[in-house]
Amino acid sequence: MAKEAVFTMKLEPELRDAFMAAAKHADRSASQIVREFMRDYAKQDREYVVWLQRKVDKARADIEAGRVHTQEEVEAHMDRLIADLERRAREAAE
């Protein structure tokens, strides 16, 4: 792949020195490592967007199917869960 773009950034000299030393120790150029970081980050971002869209689609389908709970129902459920956890913690401490 042709490398025609230049990317400039500002960072602390200590970070640059530590990064350059780590790259040298790995016998890789700093550019190789940064390109890999950038590819991984871009891929991770796309994967997150896909994951999030699936969650949104599922939530919308649940709403359309009537699988919803009121705020009061959610709060009551959480109150029961918290009370159960507190009870278990007390029993474990005894």
Side-chain angles (χ1 to χ4, degrees):
M1 180 180 299
K3 295 167 188 82
E4 299 173 5
V6 175
F7 183 85
T8 304
M9 62 185 289
K10 292 184 179 184
L11 64 155
E12 299 83 5
E14 299 82 11
L15 176 58
R16 181 199 178 279
D17 294 345
F19 179 73
M20 296 302 287
K24 183 176 181 177
H25 180 69
D27 196 29
R28 298 179 66 203
S29 72
S31 294
Q32 286 176 315
I33 296 170
V34 171
R35 282 193 298 272
E36 184 178 321
F37 285 160
M38 293 171 102
R39 284 186 199 104
D40 289 348
Y41 186 82
K43 180 182 176 191
Q44 176 186 7
D45 186 55
R46 285 190 307 271
E47 290 172 352
Y48 173 74
V49 169
V50 169
W51 172 84
L52 184 59
Q53 187 60 56
R54 284 186 190 133
K55 298 289 277 182
V56 169
D57 293 344
K58 183 182 179 313
R60 287 179 175 158
D62 285 344
I63 291 168
E64 288 177 17
R67 293 184 297 266
V68 296
H69 301 282
T70 66
Q71 180 72 24
E72 292 78 18
E73 290 171 329
V74 172
E75 288 176 0
H77 179 71
M78 291 306 300
D79 288 344
R80 288 190 300 274
L81 286 175
I82 291 169
D84 186 49
L85 287 171
E86 289 172 343
R87 179 186 55 76
R88 289 181 189 191
R90 281 192 308 274
E91 290 173 356
E94 293 174 353

